Amino acid sequence: MSFKRKLIVSLVASLLAQQAFAEDAKNIKSKEVSLDVVTVKGILPDRLESVPGSFAVVDEKELEVRRPFSIKEALNTVPGVNIVANEDPLGLALNIGIRGMDPRRTARTLLMEDGMPLHLAPYGDPSAHYSTPLERVGRIEVVKGSGQILYGPQTVGGMINFVTKPVPRNGLAGSVMATGGNNDFWGLHGNVGYGTERGGFMIDALKKKGDGIRDNHDFDVQEFTIKSEVDLTDSQTLIAKVGYYEEDSHVSETGLGTIDYANNKFQAPTGKNDRFQHERKSIQLQHILKVDEGIKLSTNAYYIDSWRSSYRQTDTAGGWDDEFGTATGVTAIDRDGAPGCDISTPNACGGRHRPRSYQVWGIEPRVDFSHKLFGLDNDAVVGFRYHDEDIQRDQFRDDSPLTINDLAWTKANGTHRESLHHTVKAQSAYVQNTFHINDWSLTPGLRVEKFKTKQSILVAGSDPIGPDGAPGGVGGLHGTKSQTEVLPGLGATWSGIANTTVFGGIHRGFAPPRPDRDLASDPITGNFVTDKTTPELSTNFELGLRSKYFKGISFESTLFHTKFDDIVIKSVAGSYVNAGEAAMSGLEFAGRVDFGTIYNTAHNVYLVGSYTNLFTAKFKKDGLNTTDGVIAGNRLPYSPKHLASVSLGYQHPVGIDARVGADFVSSQEPDAYTNGSLFAPGMALLAGYAGTIPSYTLFNASINFKPVNSKATYFLSGHNLTDKEYLASRVDGMFAGRSRQVFGGVKLDF
């Protein structure tokens, strides 16, 4: 049975079951229940004071005030969140780390849109090359505590859910927005919808273009979304959403060596030819049945078809030679066999294409209900999810310049370097119950992750692979692995002080194995293997306080500790390895003061800030292999000790909101393997992979003006206002951070 047919059958079965519940609800004559129109919300419950752990909500109003250029600025005020923007200014290739987790491709942070996964393949390839455009977002929810066990598979650090704007329910509504700025940036966004009390629809269109961070780089993205919502009955709502996204960017995923960076940190010698393309099609269906005031049954079904392909002419930074462990500090062409090919003449050189396709679908029925176990008020959640992934990864390369921007030619005439087919079938079940005991709440929960993966390596190193993984064989190497993980959690809250909650929790975290970017053979046997890494398991603790006790003042502070049994880290050439025990501990703080509320005036001066002190982020034991560079006590890569963000703003009753702010990131250490034996002495630094990443502070500001009784909003926003030059990352070489970006525009609501 095909995956589409499975999805349809599963969805129909679930809807029929819910319809049966609906019929039963109609037949309950002894209860007089007033059923309100069902509205779609995010993942956080209505009773926020009972959430068993730390969380943050960035709502639409805050997004409008800050006018972020990308998701990096949107989440800067959330403590514990570290976003590295080193490849493109818009954050199209997301690198988000929470509480000391390696931010590379957001592999340890669960990303969702309305509860639908956003990674290319959450189990088989948890890489983030897409996030919901902020123009479609109603609010962003960030959850870091034991409440994560309701979601998955990544639960080691935190999760981010983008809640999209609802469809209109009162006639015609929409907006148009135009933006423009330096670096040849411009954007257009339009939204229009119509609705009545029984339902509605909404059409959304987005287009953005601009220059990249480095020379010869640019980005071009567009997205179209249709969302509809209809009340089938007074107690049932059906929501459907269809999306199409396309990216076509010139971006070099390889950084610079030390000499090149010193000469011109923004150069990209092959940037005009290096390219990243991404096409994403998605369908999401949600059915919500409110049986009565205490029972809600919901089903979430999704299907995502993604295709992405990158083209590179340089594969290692700084002329690094992985065979001899040497480097030159300057960029070298990877496929340089064509006549006249040189780094100064990239149009005469070849390169490599990495096309990959992903088909992901799943269905998740869930019931939320209230009950009176032990005579107490209880809120319970029980759910199950089936999730399926089908992944095809290939690599084609050739020395000919005809490979440039021509995947079809390279497939037909070049070398088929790699072919890997990967499937995942995962079942997740979860249950969570909150006991409300006067001012206390106690929330035990349990999640079970059961998944089966199958990898088939057909071609590796340009050779067909045999059943034993040896090059030159026939039939391919096929590996199947099944695993079940039981992930308990326990959270508690106390709300004995007005508008104040003390919370604490412990839960078992889980992250699937990380796939290598490129297939590599065993250095001893020369054979290729499947399932190189094992899943990550962690134990997460936290204790915190959130309060709005004082008028006009709100804050949250959390002490956290995370212990990994066998952490996964990046090794050389896009490879990943298990590195043993590791630990992260820290303190988070976020707060806001509104002086207008304190002094009862419409002229509001406000102060918003967040701070994270990650005082521990280290390996606990030496690594087994000297090549990995894992040394007990060394700091984990890309885990800055200090993160801080502060903004001072003013709101005037005529409709002006202006603010200035600053963001600080302390120094960071690069990947551990740069300390290993793969590099000859001094070569890792020369290639740009090794060396501490210095701290930096960036200033930003925004101003919004919406005249009273006007439907137009005028805005201006700027980031890195001093145009500071700074080193953002050493992943695959040295990457400079984004330069000054200023943009303005107008938005008209109707």
Side-chain angles (χ1 to χ4, degrees):
M1 184 181 293
S2 69
F3 65 88
K4 291 183 179 178
R5 187 175 298 176
K6 289 179 182 177
L7 177 60
I8 294 172
V9 170
S10 300
L11 181 59
V12 170
S14 178
L15 292 179
L16 288 175
Q18 294 193 32
Q19 187 64 37
F21 271 102
E23 293 299 324
D24 289 342
K26 291 180 181 179
N27 295 329
I28 299 176
K29 303 298 184 181
S30 60
K31 295 183 179 180
E32 294 295 331
V33 180
S34 176
L35 297 176
D36 300 325
V37 174
V38 179
T39 57
V40 181
K41 299 183 179 180
I43 59 177
L44 291 172
D46 294 332
R47 300 174 67 168
L48 292 177
E49 72 277 3
S50 299
V51 173
S54 58
F55 68 88
V57 176
V58 182
D59 59 24
E60 185 176 2
K61 181 179 179 181
E62 184 174 350
L63 290 173
E64 290 178 347
V65 168
R66 292 183 63 84
R67 292 294 169 188
F69 186 72
S70 70
I71 187 176
K72 176 177 173 62
E73 294 80 32
L75 294 178
N76 271 352
T77 58
V78 179
V81 177
N82 178 32
I83 302 179
V84 179
N86 63 305
E87 290 166 324
D88 67 88
L90 207 58
L92 302 175
L94 277 176
N95 300 299
I96 303 176
I98 295 181
R99 292 181 171 176
M101 307 295 166
D102 191 333
R104 182 64 175 170
R105 292 293 181 261
T106 319
R108 293 190 184 92
T109 301
L110 179 63
L111 292 180
M112 299 187 296
E113 177 186 303
D114 296 331
M116 175 178 65
L118 293 182
H119 285 105
L120 289 173
Y123 289 85
D125 190 355
S127 299
H129 284 278
Y130 170 84
S131 67
T132 308
L134 297 176
E135 289 80 1
R136 289 202 294 115
V137 172
R139 72 175 181 272
I140 306 174
E141 301 171 330
V142 182
V143 179
K144 293 172 282 185
S146 61
Q148 292 182 71
I149 66 169
L150 295 180
Y151 311 94
Q154 290 84 3
T155 58
V156 293
M159 52 177 292
I160 300 172
N161 183 47
F162 299 91
V163 182
T164 59
K165 297 176 182 178
V167 301
R169 286 288 193 124
N170 187 24
L172 182 69
S175 66
V176 291
M177 182 171 65
T179 55
N182 65 322
N183 299 319
D184 288 333
F185 168 71
W186 63 268
L188 294 173
H189 175 252
N191 176 287
V192 62
Y194 179 82
T196 66
E197 292 182 354
R198 302 303 299 178
F201 72 94
M202 180 169 62
I203 301 174
D204 193 281
L206 173 72
K207 176 76 171 181
K208 286 186 177 181
K209 292 187 68 173
D211 291 339
I213 296 176
R214 297 161 66 184
D215 299 338
N216 302 320
H217 282 190
D218 58 60
F219 63 88
D220 185 349
V221 297
Q222 57 185 349
E223 183 179 66
F224 304 95
T225 308
I226 300 175
K227 184 177 181 180
S228 64
E229 180 176 327
V230 59
D231 295 332
L232 302 176
T233 66
D234 289 341
S235 60
Q236 294 187 80
T237 298
L238 180 66
I239 305 103
K241 184 172 56 179
V242 179
Y244 176 81
Y245 169 85
E246 186 177 77
E247 174 193 352
D248 189 354
S249 300
H250 287 95
V251 58
S252 300
E253 296 179 277
T254 305
L256 298 174
T258 301
I259 295 176
D260 273 347
Y261 190 85
N263 290 333
N264 177 7
K265 58 177 59 67
F266 295 106
Q267 66 173 297
T270 61
K272 288 185 178 180
N273 297 333
D274 292 343
R275 190 179 185 188
F276 185 87
Q277 297 171 280
H278 185 193
E279 184 181 52
R280 183 179 188 271
K281 307 167 188 174
S282 63
I283 301 173
Q284 184 178 17
L285 295 175
Q286 294 173 286
H287 181 265
I288 302 172
L289 167 64
K290 193 171 183 181
V291 179
D292 59 28
E293 288 296 336
I295 303 176
K296 182 179 72 173
L297 181 62
S298 58
T299 298
N300 183 20
Y302 52 86
Y303 167 66
I304 307 159
D305 188 341
S306 300
W307 177 86
R308 53 129 293 182
S309 183
S310 64
Y311 178 77
R312 291 190 189 187
Q313 290 190 305
T314 59
D315 207 49
T316 60
W320 178 55
D321 188 319
D322 56 1
E323 182 177 356
F324 300 102
T326 59
T328 63
V330 297
T331 303
I333 292 289
D334 178 38
R335 312 305 303 166
D336 59 357
C341 172
D342 186 80
I343 189 61
S344 62
T345 58
N347 287 339
C349 304
R352 63 178 73 196
H353 291 268
R354 290 187 176 94
R356 299 175 184 176
S357 62
Y358 305 83
Q359 292 179 330
V360 175
W361 69 273
I363 185 167
E364 180 177 3
R366 160 177 164 161
V367 59
D368 296 68
F369 60 98
S370 301
H371 59 95
K372 286 286 188 178
L373 183 65
F374 305 129
L376 302 171
D377 289 336
N378 287 257
D379 292 314
V381 180
V382 179
F384 171 82
R385 183 183 69 188
Y386 178 82
H387 179 91
D388 189 283
E389 299 176 1
D390 191 291
I391 305 167
Q392 178 63 42
R393 295 173 48 186
D394 290 283
Q395 183 182 150
F396 303 90
R397 67 183 191 180
D398 195 82
D399 289 346
S400 171
L402 294 177
T403 61
I404 298 174
N405 294 327
D406 197 335
L407 174 59
W409 185 94
T410 312
K411 280 185 176 182
N413 301 279
T415 300
H416 194 178
R417 174 74 175 176
E418 292 179 0
S419 178
L420 169 67
H421 185 234
H422 188 183
T423 61
V424 179
K425 299 184 184 301
Q427 298 94 40
S428 307
Y430 53 87
V431 58
Q432 179 177 281
N433 189 83
T434 300
F435 298 91
H436 300 283
I437 312 169
N438 297 322
D439 295 327
W440 291 85
S441 73
L442 184 66
T443 306
L446 183 71
R447 183 179 187 87
V448 178
E449 286 279 358
K450 180 181 180 182
F451 60 98
K452 180 179 180 180
T453 64
K454 181 179 180 180
Q455 289 187 345
S456 297
I457 301 177
L458 304 178
V459 179
S462 304
D463 293 314
I465 301 301
D468 59 352
V474 178
L477 170 63
H478 306 279
T480 301
K481 184 176 182 180
S482 298
Q483 188 160 345
T484 300
E485 294 292 344
V486 179
L487 309 169
L490 177 64
T493 68
W494 178 72
S495 303
I497 302 174
N499 300 316
T500 301
T501 301
V502 179
F503 59 87
I506 178 175
H507 77 276
R508 189 68 162 158
F510 168 80
R514 290 293 307 273
D516 289 346
R517 185 193 70 195
D518 300 319
L519 298 175
S521 60
D522 185 277
I524 298 176
T525 66
N527 293 351
F528 291 84
V529 296
T530 60
D531 297 318
K532 184 178 175 183
T533 61
T534 60
E536 294 174 284
L537 293 171
S538 66
T539 304
N540 301 56
F541 306 85
E542 67 173 9
L543 178 65
L545 169 73
R546 51 179 173 262
S547 178
K548 294 183 179 179
Y549 181 83
F550 300 101
K551 181 181 178 181
I553 301 175
S554 62
F555 68 90
E556 176 176 314
S557 183
T558 308
L559 182 68
F560 63 88
H561 174 70
T562 303
K563 178 181 178 298
F564 274 93
D565 297 346
D566 197 0
I567 195 171
V568 172
I569 63 170
K570 184 178 182 293
S571 185
V572 68
S575 178
Y576 293 89
V577 296
N578 287 95
E581 295 182 21
M584 301 90 151
S585 302
L587 178 67
E588 298 172 344
F589 177 84
R592 179 182 175 109
V593 180
D594 287 282
F595 292 97
T597 302
I598 295 174
Y599 294 104
N600 298 314
T601 174
H603 296 266
N604 182 37
V605 176
Y606 60 90
L607 181 66
V608 181
S610 66
Y611 171 68
T612 303
N613 185 338
L614 186 66
F615 46 78
T616 298
K618 64 182 180 180
F619 296 107
K620 299 283 286 185
K621 295 181 179 180
D622 290 344
L624 298 178
N625 300 313
T626 58
T627 55
D628 299 334
V630 176
I631 301 173
N634 276 12
R635 194 160 184 91
L636 295 172
Y638 299 98
S639 56
K641 184 175 182 179
H642 303 285
L643 292 169
S645 177
V646 63
S647 290
L648 178 65
Y650 170 67
Q651 295 169 325
H652 192 282
V654 299
I656 294 177
D657 192 314
R659 58 154 209 96
V660 294
D663 300 312
F664 172 76
V665 179
S666 67
S667 61
Q668 305 170 66
E669 295 304 313
D671 290 305
Y673 77 88
T674 60
N675 298 316
S677 59
L678 286 170
F679 292 91
M683 291 296 105
L685 180 62
L686 186 60
Y689 294 92
T692 298
I693 301 167
S695 63
Y696 57 89
T697 300
L698 305 179
F699 294 93
N700 56 81
S702 63
I703 182 170
N704 296 268
F705 176 47
K706 185 175 184 178
V708 178
N709 298 324
S710 173
K711 294 186 177 182
T713 302
Y714 309 91
F715 56 87
L716 182 67
S717 184
H719 304 277
N720 190 8
L721 292 176
T722 62
D723 204 21
K724 181 180 179 61
E725 295 183 355
Y726 63 99
L727 179 63
S729 172
R730 288 184 179 272
V731 174
D732 294 329
M734 302 177 74
F735 287 87
R738 189 181 64 197
S739 58
R740 181 192 296 119
Q741 179 66 61
V742 178
F743 67 97
V746 59
K747 179 182 179 183
L748 178 64
D749 297 305
F750 58 88

